[in-house]
Amino acid sequence: MPITANDPTRKSWLNIADDTDFPIQNIPFGVFLTKENIVTVGTRIGDYAIDLGALQQLNYFEGIELTDDVFMQDTLNDFISDGKKTWRLVRNRIADIFDNNNTKLRDSKKDRDIVIFNIDDVEMQLPVFIGDYTDFYSSKEHATNVGKMFRDPENALLPNWLHIPVGYHGRSSTIIPSGIPVHRPNGQTLPNGETQPVFGPSKLVDFELETAFITTDANIMGDNIPVNEAEEYIFGMVLLNDWSARDIQKWEYVPLGPFLAKNFASSISPWIVTMDALEPFRVESPKQEPTPLAYLQQKGKHSFDINLEVSIAPENTEATVVSKSNYKYMYWTMSQQLAHHTSNGCRVNSGDMMGSGTISGPTEDSFGSMLELTWGGKNPIKMKDGSERKFINDGDTVIMKGFCKNDQIRIGFGEVSSKLLPANKMK
């Protein structure tokens, strides 16, 4: 089935800025709360939020097999469970409805008043109920940098890293949408030169620049997903700030890896950009040496050219860009991550989220965390207000943006923005 929504010559009758992240060729999916306190599944074109539940009730999806309430819910899980054919049919239909040559909705003020909202008049929600969350560790540059800092610089990568997409299971209960503030976590740390740990607020709170993909129901327990079929089960992508407390992490991560240093908060952008929308931006991923085992081998373009940017905005002060990176630097692809994740028969469900791991590029200004950008705090970053940052201060807002662009269109993710608040007092 062709992806007609991607036609780069298509124009909308909605008034859309040329540099928007959300042209008619994007059509992401999300969940929002209206001024009337109604929660609905929607999409976004330019600065307009589109109520898909209202569109369905008005019969604009006639001919597409959908349950009556699929868009009148507070999550996208049921829609995602309908599978790739339905996602594509719906997205193509939305593009047709808002196409400049289609007058049906455009000329019906009554319908438009029910369906279309100004983006500033809605409150974005978490787009899916996330049952399970896995975080990978798939940037060779990031893993190498961390290995140099904490282990032997001559053997920065652990022996397994070039053979498997390393990952760990995270905590879905503290995944939050953009705009929700995060408290500095309390935890155990081991001060430099000491032999006994102390308990208190983390002093080294960091961001991690990541993306994440959202899955549909993919397999039954015991079955695997072949690497060449994996993309059929990926609905779309979001930006992810996987907050980290480096001092807590350093004390706790041996022998079982990250725990409380990572599960206090993970922030995501609210609009899920579909894999169909990202199709024009496919690129080859870095050459893998040694060649992966057979179940992870793939040919062709399975990565994406997604420009990424991180800014830090101190309270009441202009933001400073601290990192510019790109998803295409990732060593392991989403297909390989999902194939490996299910190679032992692990079940994957609709709404599961899988983080890319910190995305670091080859240059110092493309590193995806303050840990790397300041090299463990040794090289502070100067803010526009004259202050310096080794890690994130209370009152700072971390803002991540992402977009793809070619000669014809720009497809963006919007942003994920979260403010760091002081630690809560222990009860």
Side-chain angles (χ1 to χ4, degrees):
M1 184 198 311
I3 312 174
T4 58
N6 286 10
D7 180 357
T9 66
R10 189 189 287 271
K11 303 291 183 185
S12 175
W13 48 263
L14 288 169
N15 185 22
I16 301 170
D18 291 337
D19 62 348
T20 182
D21 274 358
F22 303 100
I24 194 170
Q25 290 83 6
N26 191 339
I27 310 179
F29 292 89
V31 174
F32 59 81
L33 181 70
T34 70
K35 285 195 294 187
E36 290 76 29
N37 287 322
I38 296 171
V39 178
T40 185
V41 170
T43 188
R44 178 173 178 175
I45 300 177
D47 288 332
Y48 300 98
I50 314 299
D51 184 339
L52 297 184
L55 270 181
Q56 185 181 15
Q57 285 184 304
L58 292 167
N59 216 27
Y60 281 86
F61 292 119
E62 184 181 9
I64 301 176
E65 235 178 87
L66 297 168
T67 55
D68 291 342
D69 64 345
V70 69
F71 295 131
M72 300 170 66
Q73 302 189 30
D74 58 2
T75 74
L76 279 159
N77 292 60
D78 282 358
F79 175 60
I80 294 173
S81 289
D82 284 343
K84 191 169 187 175
K85 179 183 176 182
T86 300
W87 313 334
R88 187 169 293 178
L89 284 169
V90 168
R91 188 167 164 271
N92 285 346
R93 178 68 59 85
I94 295 168
D96 289 340
I97 293 167
F98 290 92
D99 188 281
N100 204 37
N101 297 315
N102 190 335
T103 61
K104 184 179 179 183
L105 179 61
R106 185 193 72 185
D107 293 349
S108 174
K109 184 178 184 304
K110 181 183 175 184
D111 287 2
R112 287 203 320 271
D113 288 344
I114 298 170
V115 168
I116 304 171
F117 298 85
N118 188 295
I119 196 68
D120 293 332
D121 292 334
V122 303
E123 183 181 319
M124 298 306 300
Q125 309 293 300
L126 203 65
V128 290
F129 173 76
I130 301 168
D132 281 302
Y133 163 47
T134 299
D135 193 30
F136 286 95
Y137 187 55
S138 291
S139 163
K140 187 176 182 181
E141 289 81 2
H142 173 66
T144 300
N145 289 338
V146 172
K148 285 178 179 178
M149 273 187 266
F150 294 116
R151 290 189 297 274
D152 176 8
E154 299 302 316
N155 297 284
L157 292 178
L158 290 170
N160 64 355
W161 199 93
L162 294 170
H163 296 275
I164 59 174
V166 176
Y168 71 97
H169 294 292
R171 185 78 183 162
S172 62
S173 61
T174 42
I175 298 174
I176 52 176
S178 177
I180 305 297
V182 170
H183 283 276
R184 182 179 294 272
N186 291 297
Q188 279 195 30
T189 61
L190 184 68
N192 289 334
E194 300 294 327
T195 57
Q196 295 299 312
V198 298
F199 185 88
S202 166
K203 295 178 180 178
L204 306 179
V205 174
D206 199 356
F207 66 78
E208 286 192 342
L209 171 62
E210 300 193 28
T211 61
F213 65 89
I214 308 296
T215 64
T216 186
D217 304 287
N219 61 334
I220 60 173
M221 185 175 171
D223 285 354
N224 72 294
I225 301 170
V227 68
N228 60 353
E229 296 178 14
E231 289 181 9
E232 296 295 310
Y233 302 101
I234 299 175
F235 176 64
M237 297 176 69
V238 295
L239 303 175
L240 166 64
N241 178 2
D242 194 26
W243 293 90
S244 299
R246 299 301 182 186
D247 43 358
I248 296 173
Q249 183 178 355
K250 186 177 180 181
W251 172 237
E252 74 177 2
Y253 86 101
V254 177
L256 294 180
F259 184 40
L260 301 184
K262 292 292 191 75
N263 68 9
F264 64 97
S266 299
S267 305
I268 65 170
S269 53
W271 293 107
I272 303 175
V273 177
T274 64
M275 302 314 297
D276 274 359
L278 296 172
E279 191 66 31
F281 305 98
R282 284 184 177 273
V283 292
E284 291 186 5
S285 49
K287 184 174 175 60
Q288 295 182 327
E289 292 181 340
T291 301
L293 296 178
Y295 77 100
L296 291 173
Q297 291 175 18
Q298 57 182 171
K299 294 179 180 179
K301 298 177 179 180
H302 296 282
S303 190
F304 297 86
D305 184 4
I306 305 172
N307 299 289
L308 300 166
E309 177 184 289
V310 186
S311 300
I312 298 174
E315 202 156 23
N316 303 317
T317 304
E318 188 181 357
T320 301
V321 175
V322 298
S323 175
K324 287 190 174 185
S325 193
N326 195 298
Y327 179 81
K328 68 184 179 183
Y329 299 135
M330 297 299 289
Y331 187 86
W332 295 103
T333 68
M334 289 181 282
S335 306
Q336 291 173 316
Q337 289 170 338
L338 187 54
H340 181 65
H341 201 310
T342 62
S343 62
N344 67 344
C346 175
R347 182 176 172 179
V348 170
N349 297 313
S350 172
D352 286 356
M353 189 177 99
M354 306 203 182
S356 61
T358 303
I359 301 170
S360 291
T363 58
E364 291 182 2
D365 60 351
S366 64
F367 294 163
S369 66
M370 293 296 279
L371 178 69
E372 298 163 89
L373 290 165
T374 69
W375 209 253
K378 294 177 183 177
N379 307 310
I381 296 174
K382 197 159 199 173
M383 301 285 104
K384 287 184 178 179
D385 66 357
S387 62
E388 291 185 338
R389 293 293 183 278
K390 296 179 179 179
F391 289 91
I392 308 302
N393 287 1
D394 291 346
D396 287 349
T397 298
V398 177
I399 306 155
M400 295 180 178
K401 299 180 180 180
F403 69 91
C404 310
K405 189 174 183 179
N406 59 25
D407 293 338
Q408 296 176 302
I409 56 169
R410 171 192 170 108
I411 300 293
F413 291 78
E415 67 177 35
V416 54
S417 172
S418 305
K419 185 175 185 177
L420 183 64
L421 302 179
N424 282 320
K425 291 185 178 179
M426 293 289 292
K427 295 179 180 179

